[in-house]
């Protein structure tokens, strides 16, 4: 069975600092991995995905994610956080199973 | 561009009542999904339909039924609502495997 885990319920960072939101996966074979963002009272929006190829994937709003096969991880990163990045972030694996979500709060 | 449209946006039900959540997509996607979102639980897959004419159970199917009416529409029915079904429900769709999944705006359901 395919699954993902997001080990942190909450991540707090100061504006301008780099941010990381963690995701680990359990998949047999080659995984399709996704990151989505959810703003209050809205549906989820696509950020980026890894299918194959370069381990560093660039996505919307300056986000990127690094696929690490040996660590079975797909962490979301951004070099400089904005207050407007505050939202709920979900990692997902190709059979459309989602992690529990990580709430990112960026403080001014 | 409508994308994925789900109705109603808000609904309050009494325990034991029935209702159907409607979902339609205009992107010619083959696969459609119903999720529920609860605090601390993330998104849990209720049912999905890989293609027109097929439906399969997800992680939490008990208490729900679905119908894939045609390629565009995928409805979720609560036959006898229970307070444990109070949640936010999201419909979603995607094309071929590996493609982005598109979500509706959510339906807030309260069962009292």
């Amino acid at each position: 069975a395919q699954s993902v885990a997001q080990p942190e319920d909450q991540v707090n960072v100061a504006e301008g600092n780099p941010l990381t939101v963690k995701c680990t996966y359990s998949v047999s074979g080659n995984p399709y991995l996704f990151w989505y963002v959810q703003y209050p009272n809205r549906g989820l929006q696509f950020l980026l995905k890894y299918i194959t190829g370069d381990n560093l994937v660039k996505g919307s709003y300056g986000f990127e994610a690094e696929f690490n096969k040996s660590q079975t991880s797909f962490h979301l990163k951004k070099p400089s956080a904005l207050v407007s990045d505050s939202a709920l972030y979900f990692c997902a694996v190709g059979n459309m199973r989602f992690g529990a979500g990580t709430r990112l709060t960026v403080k001014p | 561009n409508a994308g994925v449209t789900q109705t109603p946006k808000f609904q309050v039900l009494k325990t034991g009542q029935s209702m159907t959540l409607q979902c339609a997509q205009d992107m010619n996607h083959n696969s459609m999904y119903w999720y529920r979102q609860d605090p601390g639980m993330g998104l849990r897959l209720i049912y999905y339909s890989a293609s027109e004419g097929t439906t399969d159970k997800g992680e939490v199917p008990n208490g729900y039924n679905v119908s894939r009416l045609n390629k565009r529409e995928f409805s979720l029915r609560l036959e006898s609502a229970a307070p444990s079904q109070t949640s936010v429900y999201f419909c979603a769709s995607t094309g071929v495997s590996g493609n982005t999944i598109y979500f509706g705006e959510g339906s807030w359901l309260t069962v009292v």
Side-chain angles (χ1 to χ4, degrees):
Chain A
Q2 300 185 356
S3 65
V4 289
Q6 296 180 241
E8 301 162 318
D9 294 335
Q10 175 91 30
V11 171
N12 298 315
V13 298
E15 188 173 31
N17 282 1
L19 69 87
T20 299
V21 182
K22 295 179 180 178
C23 173
T24 59
Y25 66 88
S26 176
V27 169
S28 56
N30 296 322
Y32 295 164
L33 295 163
F34 301 79
W35 275 103
Y36 291 85
V37 60
Q38 184 182 31
Y39 298 101
N41 302 317
R42 304 295 302 277
L44 280 69
Q45 300 174 34
F46 171 77
L47 275 180
L48 52 81
K49 66 180 177 183
Y50 172 83
I51 304 296
T52 187
D54 195 347
N55 289 344
L56 185 63
V57 180
K58 294 189 182 298
S60 307
Y61 312 121
F63 284 93
E64 59 189 26
E66 186 171 10
F67 173 69
N68 187 317
K69 190 171 184 177
S70 63
Q71 297 185 3
T72 62
S73 66
F74 189 56
H75 300 333
L76 181 71
K77 299 181 180 183
K78 188 173 183 181
S80 180
L82 300 172
V83 173
S84 58
D85 292 330
S86 298
L88 191 56
Y89 290 81
F90 290 94
C91 181
V93 69
N95 67 350
M96 299 312 160
R97 299 299 174 100
F98 286 76
T102 299
R103 184 163 300 283
L104 173 67
T105 301
V106 181
K107 297 182 178 179
Chain B
N1 294 336
V4 179
T5 304
Q6 54 181 110
T7 57
K9 182 89 171 175
F10 300 98
Q11 183 73 50
V12 179
L13 287 177
K14 294 181 179 179
T15 298
Q17 286 185 319
S18 62
M19 76 158 296
T20 299
L21 298 175
Q22 307 285 353
C23 176
Q25 50 90 11
D26 61 3
M27 296 172 282
N28 201 36
H29 283 166
N30 289 319
S31 301
M32 298 185 73
Y33 308 81
W34 277 106
Y35 293 90
R36 59 177 288 173
Q37 183 177 20
D38 303 289
M41 302 292 287
L43 285 168
R44 291 183 291 171
L45 183 64
I46 304 171
Y47 271 93
Y48 67 100
S49 171
S51 61
E52 185 179 356
T54 69
T55 60
D56 288 285
K57 295 179 180 179
E59 303 168 73
V60 288
N62 291 346
Y64 305 95
N65 287 301
V66 291
S67 295
R68 183 74 183 267
L69 304 170
N70 47 56
K71 192 170 186 179
R72 289 186 64 249
E73 298 173 288
F74 187 41
S75 63
L76 178 71
R77 183 163 178 83
L78 288 69
E79 291 290 353
S80 179
S84 61
Q85 294 178 305
T86 293
S87 188
V88 183
Y89 292 85
F90 288 96
C91 179
S93 72
T94 188
V96 299
S97 178
N99 275 12
T100 303
I101 190 169
Y102 292 85
F103 285 84
E105 289 296 289
S107 296
W108 274 254
L109 176 64
T110 301
V111 183
V112 298

